[in-house]
Amino acid sequence: MTSAWPARLSPNASAVLAQLRPEVREMVRDVLDIASRQPWGWPQWDPTDSEGQSLRRADVGPLTVVYFVNEPRTHLYVLDIVWVG
């Protein structure tokens, strides 16, 4: 049984995810689960951008997940996944 992802993935993020090892995909899922419960808990992508408060990045070791907080619908939209491992 496959559980639903806690965020919506862009086509680019989906393509990156498909190429990752299963344990890294699970790490991405865990990070997104945390971010979905506390989306403002991760730092802003560019702190100097006063209009970009909804664009966040979740960094855990060699993994970075860049996501957008869609406030009216309370969804996360993943723009990119970067794995440097």
Side-chain angles (χ1 to χ4, degrees):
M1 178 177 160
T2 303
S3 60
W5 279 80
R8 294 184 176 150
L9 304 176
S10 71
N12 183 58
S14 293
V16 171
L17 186 69
Q19 296 182 13
L20 296 174
R21 296 187 316 265
E23 61 271 16
V24 179
R25 285 195 299 265
E26 189 63 33
M27 181 188 264
V28 171
R29 183 186 302 270
D30 292 345
V31 166
L32 290 174
D33 182 51
I34 293 167
S36 69
R37 288 183 273 139
Q38 197 71 21
W40 306 108
W42 297 96
Q44 187 176 339
W45 175 252
D46 180 1
T48 63
D49 182 1
S50 61
E51 295 180 1
Q53 295 175 353
S54 296
L55 189 58
R56 300 281 162 159
R57 72 175 197 279
D59 301 313
V60 177
L63 173 67
T64 298
V65 178
V66 180
Y67 65 92
F68 176 78
V69 182
N70 185 343
E71 291 185 72
R73 298 181 188 203
T74 63
H75 292 303
L76 300 182
Y77 186 73
V78 179
L79 301 172
D80 204 0
I81 299 169
V82 179
W83 174 251
V84 187

